[in-house]
Amino acid sequence: MDKLVIEGGKRLCGSVRVQSAKNSVLPLLAASVLTEKKVTIREVPAISDVACMAEILRGLGARVTFTEGDAVIESEGATSHVIPSRLTRELRSSVFMLGSLLARFHRAACAYPGGCDIGLRPIDLHLNALKRLGVHIVEREGYIFCECQHMQGAEIVLDFPSVGATENVMLAAVKAEGRTVLGGAAKEPEIVDLQNFLNAMGAKVRGAGTDVIEIEGVERLSGAEYLPMKDRIEAGSYLIACAVCGGEAEVLGVKGETLALLLHKLRENGCKIHTKNDKIRIASTGKLRCNRRIETMPFPGFPTDLQAQMTALNAGAEGGALVVENLFETRFKYVPELQKMGADIEVRGRTAFVRGVGRLHEASLVCGDLRGGAALVLAALGAEGTSEVTELIHVDRGYADLEGKLRALGARIKRVRM
Ligand code: UD1
């Protein structure tokens, strides 16, 4: 087991290159079994969620190799339609596999999915949408069994723009008979990336990025080589780190418009932000004002995956902030850890009332989920004194070489064996 030892109060300067997006790479890996041909996904990040998804693919009988950061998937020999329960529980995203396994084998089975402990995370929208395509679903003893003779394109409307359900429908419908029209779709940039990847494989998908996605089923898909979009959440995390610590940094690989609301909030905090092509520059004095209100929403709203990091920023700023979490009901579980650092935060249901204390102090901190864990690291970077952060398995799910990248910006942070 490792821990991070972080000496707070160092300015962050320099530039940081962003990894490929976790939330894009995972559905792309799920999509790779739609074809028997070779698929290459370039520059996949060295994070444990990717390793877990690769294990799931291997469990199905696919060959997955990593060469110089690229993932090569050859699923010609894949014969299993069952996702091992240990891996489903570890990685919630494996639920997308239902769509691609159904498209490939007309059968799929998985345990109820896992992932971050941040709320109930039901999968009713996924299952109802698959039923509309002609899939029979039986739930028994914590397992979901899906089967269909063939999938038939249909008109589907999601009650809520779920990212995962939108991706699952896309994956299932690309090889269904006829046309599927998905209304109420999620509009996240990662959905557009999945569309581009599927079309590179010969699928006929359009409309991603709007709330209606149209999918014309095709008989077969070919192999493809694809470079995924960059990780806007990782980029946002480094921007917030620089805001908290003070300094001047440049985040490379992400377009400002995919983080528009975060950049607006950081300007409210008193940071100077410049964007050009796929570069975002930030300058911060480290003395920040609180945001009046941050409310998470589906894209293009404020991303729930940056909520914890911004709450940490506000906890060490001047003034007061209201943070409303609309996506996941228990996504404030990291707050008691920030309170150990002197944060003044009261959580009532979906709302956190933050009274900025100007500066947090050192503490021994325990990560409980991926983004909450990142928030603790950022808080420690800005705090007085030397903090320790444990249970790094959570941050390692989504950030490749977090401490190396922060160290390159001038942070005093090291990983030590416990
Ligand atoms: C994805 C992201 C995650 C991000 C989230 C919201 C990946 C791998 N993960 O997760 O990082 O935090 O989008 O931007 O891309 N819901 C239902 N029923 C369903 C499905 C979802 O009620 O069948 C609800 C959820 O409980 C939640 C909301 O919809 O309240 C959003 O969930 P969803 O968009 O599906 O998130 P994920 O795809 O799981």
Side-chain angles (χ1 to χ4, degrees):
M1 281 228 289
D2 294 344
K3 67 178 173 184
L4 289 174
V5 179
I6 301 168
E7 193 186 317
K10 301 289 167 224
R11 282 165 57 84
L12 299 189
C13 294
S15 60
V16 57
R17 196 164 279 285
V18 175
Q19 69 192 23
S20 294
K22 169 179 91 69
N23 287 353
S24 188
V25 169
L26 295 175
L28 299 191
L29 286 168
S32 69
V33 300
L34 287 167
T35 175
E36 294 176 4
K37 300 278 167 25
K38 181 166 114 177
V39 168
T40 304
I41 302 172
R42 290 178 49 212
E43 298 181 17
V44 299
I47 53 178
S48 64
D49 269 7
V50 165
C52 187
M53 192 53 133
E55 272 314 296
I56 289 177
L57 296 173
R58 289 186 185 116
L60 302 172
R63 225 173 91 88
V64 184
T65 47
F66 292 95
T67 334
E68 289 170 20
D70 297 345
V72 179
I73 304 100
E74 288 156 292
S75 67
E76 197 183 354
T79 49
S80 170
H81 64 282
V82 182
I83 309 169
S85 65
R86 177 177 63 85
L87 296 170
T88 328
R89 293 211 169 87
E90 213 164 295
L91 184 64
R92 180 188 154 82
S93 327
S94 53
V95 75
F96 323 133
M97 290 299 303
L98 290 178
S100 37
L101 288 176
L102 281 162
R104 171 86 182 259
F105 301 118
H106 292 181
R107 286 195 297 172
C110 72
Y112 257 104
C116 274
D117 180 17
I118 54 175
L120 287 172
R121 305 192 94 165
I123 56 166
D124 53 321
L125 299 171
H126 297 249
L127 300 184
N128 289 337
L130 292 176
K131 283 181 193 160
R132 297 274 306 151
L133 294 170
V135 178
H136 298 283
I137 299 175
V138 186
E139 297 171 55
R140 208 173 45 226
E141 292 162 12
Y143 267 81
I144 302 158
F145 298 92
C146 307
E147 205 169 4
C148 58
Q149 293 295 332
H150 78 288
M151 277 190 283
Q152 181 67 48
E155 290 198 2
I156 304 173
V157 178
L158 296 178
D159 285 339
F160 182 86
S162 154
V163 173
T166 301
E167 291 168 340
N168 221 341
V169 171
M170 290 166 79
L171 293 171
V174 280
K175 284 170 80 183
E177 207 176 302
R179 181 187 171 87
T180 298
V181 179
L182 176 66
K187 295 185 281 207
E188 269 68 1
E190 290 77 10
I191 309 270
V192 180
D193 214 34
L194 178 60
Q195 167 180 280
N196 293 342
F197 175 67
L198 291 171
N199 288 344
M201 292 170 92
K204 291 188 177 157
V205 185
R206 57 177 204 192
T210 74
D211 44 24
V212 181
I213 300 178
E214 288 175 52
I215 305 140
E216 197 68 59
V218 297
E219 219 160 275
R220 83 178 37 81
L221 294 173
S222 62
E225 181 171 333
Y226 192 77
L227 178 66
M229 63 175 279
K230 297 289 184 263
D231 199 314
R232 59 196 172 94
I233 303 302
E234 189 204 18
S237 303
Y238 290 123
L239 290 169
I240 299 168
C242 182
V244 167
C245 295
E248 281 178 36
E250 196 172 55
V251 171
L252 307 173
V254 167
K255 290 194 182 359
E257 58 261 30
T258 63
L259 281 171
L261 218 43
L262 173 72
L263 302 186
H264 169 66
K265 291 290 158 192
L266 289 171
R267 287 189 179 111
E268 262 179 28
N269 296 128
C271 300
K272 293 207 165 66
I273 308 269
H274 287 284
T275 62
K276 195 171 176 200
N277 304 326
D278 61 355
K279 249 190 239 172
I280 305 174
R281 272 217 310 266
I282 180 167
S284 165
T285 59
K287 291 251 167 280
L288 302 176
R289 288 188 296 276
C290 280
N291 301 107
R292 248 214 267 126
R293 186 182 176 92
I294 294 176
E295 183 157 1
T296 66
M297 292 285 185
F299 191 82
F302 191 88
T304 174
D305 287 349
L306 289 171
Q307 179 263 102
Q309 299 88 316
M310 278 307 269
T311 304
L313 177 152
N314 277 279
E318 304 276 352
L322 206 68
V323 182
V324 184
E325 172 57 57
N326 288 309
L327 277 293
F328 295 108
E329 47 289 290
T330 59
R331 216 171 190 179
F332 286 124
K333 281 191 171 169
Y334 60 89
V335 164
E337 299 302 302
L338 290 181
Q339 286 165 341
K340 290 185 193 165
M341 308 178 83
D344 184 350
I345 304 175
E346 190 189 332
V347 177
R348 276 190 240 148
R350 290 174 174 269
T351 305
F353 298 83
V354 184
R355 273 170 232 99
V357 295
R359 182 116 193 246
L360 301 175
H361 58 71
E362 83 279 350
S364 283
L365 305 164
V366 186
C367 301
D369 68 88
L370 167 58
R371 306 303 172 186
L376 300 180
V377 172
L378 304 193
L381 288 170
E384 245 175 77
T386 301
S387 298
E388 289 189 357
V389 184
T390 56
E391 291 298 327
L392 301 177
I393 49 165
H394 297 290
V395 285
D396 292 342
R397 285 188 44 215
Y399 294 88
D401 194 21
L402 178 66
E403 66 277 12
K405 287 185 173 179
L406 288 168
R407 218 167 23 239
L409 290 174
R412 291 266 171 85
I413 176 169
K414 63 181 179 200
R415 186 181 283 247
V416 294
R417 270 271 131 84
M418 282 164 66

